[in-house]
Amino acid sequence: MKSKKTLLALAICAPFLLACADQAVNAYEPVDGSATTPAAVDDDAAMNTTHTVTAAIGPDSPYAEGAPRPSREPDVIYVPTPEPVVDAMLNLAGVKEGDVLYDLGSGDGRIPIAAAQRFGVRGVGIDINPVRVREANANAETAGVTDLVTFKEADLFEEDISEASVVTLYLLQSLNVKLRPKLLAELKPGTRIVSHAFDMADQWKPEQTQEIDGTRIYLWTVPER
């Protein structure tokens, strides 16, 4: 009897389990419903379909249609910085009138846009993914700050960042360490650097750290040469 009851329970629960699995697989499909559902895909096509986010394309986006692929595989998967953390990063950096903020790996542009809105400063976002650059430009237009912010499709390791007085990061510790020589070589003494979640290992001790919204942010200042 227990075996029959178990089989009956599995038969009842199976559709719900399958539905949950389908939702998990398609978590990054377009929200407009344009994606092909698994039921409409044959077995061969399903084997060749990638449902997870890759660094190359990021989450599906309404700005992806017709966009070229990045010039190279991006270094990190796009994950947006929560708004409370954005505000805390700007505050920790002491952003003020006259600053020029560079966001390296700018994603949807929220950090330069917030800096422009809150402080009226000029911001530059650099991202290697053309989809993210399109999205950032659209967000800047919606926010009414296109006169203050610029987004460039470029490699953050190659782009000139020397005019920045504030630099914001949300990369990885290994990338921060790799980027450190460029920051010290190109940025003016006194430039503030704020990183979300990742420090620079034992290569550069932060001047300040702050806990915010369940994560940590770090501050460095470029020293005199």
Side-chain angles (χ1 to χ4, degrees), residues 10 13 24 45 59 61 92-93 118 141 158 163 165 172 207 217:
L10 288 172
C13 294
S61 165
L92 186 60
R118 285 187 57 189
E141 185 172 356
E158 298 179 0
E163 72 165 340
S165 58
L172 296 171
E207 295 172 22
I217 56 178

Side-chain angles (χ1 to χ4, degrees), residues 55-57 70 72-77 127-129:
I57 61 173
R72 68 169 177 82
E73 180 81 357
D75 297 294
V76 293
I77 292 174
D127 203 295
I128 203 167
N129 191 330

Side-chain angles (χ1 to χ4, degrees), residues 2-22:
K2 289 184 179 180
S3 177
K4 290 182 179 180
K5 289 181 178 180
T6 301
L7 290 173
L8 180 60
L10 288 172
I12 293 172
C13 294
F16 298 100
L17 294 172
L18 289 172
C20 291
D22 178 56

Side-chain angles (χ1 to χ4, degrees), residues 15-102:
F16 298 100
L17 294 172
L18 289 172
C20 291
D22 178 56
Q23 289 296 320
V25 167
N26 290 287
Y28 291 103
E29 296 291 9
V31 295
D32 60 5
S34 62
T36 305
T37 62
V41 178
D42 62 36
D43 291 342
D44 290 339
M47 291 294 291
N48 294 319
T49 299
T50 300
H51 293 287
T52 55
V53 179
T54 70
I57 61 173
D60 288 326
S61 165
Y63 304 97
E65 185 176 356
R69 293 186 67 81
S71 59
R72 68 169 177 82
E73 180 81 357
D75 297 294
V76 293
I77 292 174
Y78 166 63
V79 178
T81 298
E83 295 295 348
V85 180
V86 172
D87 289 339
M89 292 175 73
L90 298 178
N91 290 337
L92 186 60
V95 176
K96 60 186 183 301
E97 184 179 355
D99 275 326
V100 177
L101 182 145
Y102 270 57

Side-chain angles (χ1 to χ4, degrees), residues 121-162:
V121 303
R122 189 162 65 85
V124 178
I126 299 172
D127 203 295
I128 203 167
N129 191 330
V131 175
R132 300 275 78 86
V133 173
R134 285 184 175 189
E135 184 175 7
N137 281 322
N139 290 339
E141 185 172 356
T142 299
V145 292
T146 54
D147 58 328
L148 288 173
V149 298
T150 303
F151 296 100
K152 300 180 180 181
E153 181 190 336
D155 187 328
L156 60 85
F157 288 101
E158 298 179 0
E159 192 70 12
D160 181 4
I161 60 171
S162 59

